[in-house]
Amino acid sequence: MTTLEEKLGYQFQNRELLENALTHSSCANESRGKLQSNERLEFLGDSILGMVVADHLYRGHPDLPEGELTRVRAALVCEESLVEVAQALDLGSYLLLGKGEEAGGGRTRPSIQADAVEAVLAAVYLDGGIGSARKIIQKYILCREIEGIASPRDYKTALQELVQRESGQVLKYRLVGSQGPDHAKRFFVDVDLNGEPVGSGEGHSKKEAEQMAAKAAMAKLSKK
């Protein structure tokens, strides 16, 4: 835990908050009530992250219209971005997982890593206030602001442009399922090309899941 605190640049007054942030529901369920999952902290962390990023972009870019601000914020707080943060922190090594989730590779599962980042941000906020949380967001997320502005991660548009190189190509996105409570629901989407599945994705919203499906499809089609 001390090493993780050093990477965060923050020392907890209440270590139990950090332990809670790293406790996956699978571990909490196996503990028979001794441990609480990080789902509530994840819910809070998602809002904190969105607010801090939105505030920063609003104040720092008075020239950007609402649509561009929304796009850049989405690029900075998406699952892919949060997984990069988790990897920088080596967060997977500190996660408390149930036996089944551990055996299934949960430490490297993108959704679990991204959720843990949000939970840790909430734990820092509760322990040290918004200023402490803001410093970590600045260090690990807002540092990618220029990348978000210059290189939008709009995989759906990129996929559309790729397949339109040949005439008569038809793309269709299909919602194939969802799971989890309302505050932490995950959506699963497949994308078909001319009726054949070419990519699958998941995310906290249908739009994010479609983007991830488009990204997977691009990777597959680019190899052909």
Side-chain angles (χ1 to χ4, degrees):
M1 291 291 191
T2 301
T3 303
L4 177 57
E5 287 179 319
E6 290 175 354
K7 290 180 179 179
L8 288 169
Y10 180 80
Q11 185 172 0
F12 278 84
Q13 301 300 311
N14 182 0
R15 276 283 187 88
E16 290 183 0
L17 281 169
L18 180 56
E19 181 179 349
N20 185 194
L22 299 171
T23 303
H24 186 255
S25 58
S26 60
C27 179
N29 292 336
E30 290 183 5
S31 74
R32 299 177 183 270
K34 295 181 181 180
L35 296 174
Q36 183 179 7
S37 83
N38 63 3
E39 290 178 343
R40 282 172 52 83
L41 284 175
E42 176 210 335
F43 164 75
L44 178 60
D46 177 69
S47 295
I48 293 168
L49 175 60
M51 185 275 290
V52 169
V53 171
D55 179 73
H56 175 83
L57 294 175
Y58 179 85
R59 295 177 188 274
H61 298 282
D63 56 320
L64 287 183
E66 184 270 343
E68 284 297 292
L69 291 171
T70 299
R71 179 182 64 75
V72 177
R73 181 183 62 183
L76 292 173
V77 305
C78 70
E79 181 176 282
E80 183 180 359
S81 176
L82 296 182
V83 169
E84 291 174 3
V85 175
Q87 292 172 345
L89 294 170
D90 191 25
L91 205 56
S93 299
Y94 301 94
L95 294 174
L96 302 177
L97 304 174
K99 294 180 181 179
E101 194 64 61
E102 178 80 62
R107 292 191 185 279
T108 59
R109 197 182 305 279
S111 59
I112 292 178
Q113 290 191 340
D115 291 347
V117 170
E118 293 177 336
V120 167
L121 290 175
V124 171
Y125 165 74
L126 292 173
D127 191 71
I130 190 64
S132 297
R134 189 186 298 272
K135 288 180 181 178
I136 295 173
I137 294 170
Q138 177 69 55
K139 180 178 180 180
Y140 285 101
I141 296 174
L142 292 178
C143 62
R144 301 189 179 121
E145 174 188 348
I146 300 301
E147 176 187 348
I149 293 174
S151 305
R153 296 170 177 173
D154 188 352
Y155 297 111
K156 287 183 67 176
T157 298
L159 177 61
Q160 187 70 37
E161 292 174 350
L162 177 64
V163 302
Q164 283 182 343
R165 294 176 184 177
E166 297 182 24
S167 62
Q169 305 294 298
V170 178
L171 282 173
K172 183 177 181 181
Y173 292 86
R174 294 183 290 111
L175 177 66
V176 296
S178 62
Q179 66 179 32
D182 289 342
H183 74 270
K185 191 175 290 294
R186 298 196 63 78
F187 297 89
F188 301 88
V189 168
D190 285 349
V191 57
D192 297 339
L193 176 61
N194 301 327
E196 296 293 329
V198 289
S200 300
E202 62 177 276
H204 290 290
S205 66
K206 293 177 183 178
K207 288 184 178 180
E208 184 179 343
E210 288 176 352
Q211 288 285 352
M212 293 301 98
K215 181 182 179 182
M218 284 190 64
K220 179 178 181 179
L221 296 174
S222 296
K223 294 178 181 179
K224 291 185 176 181

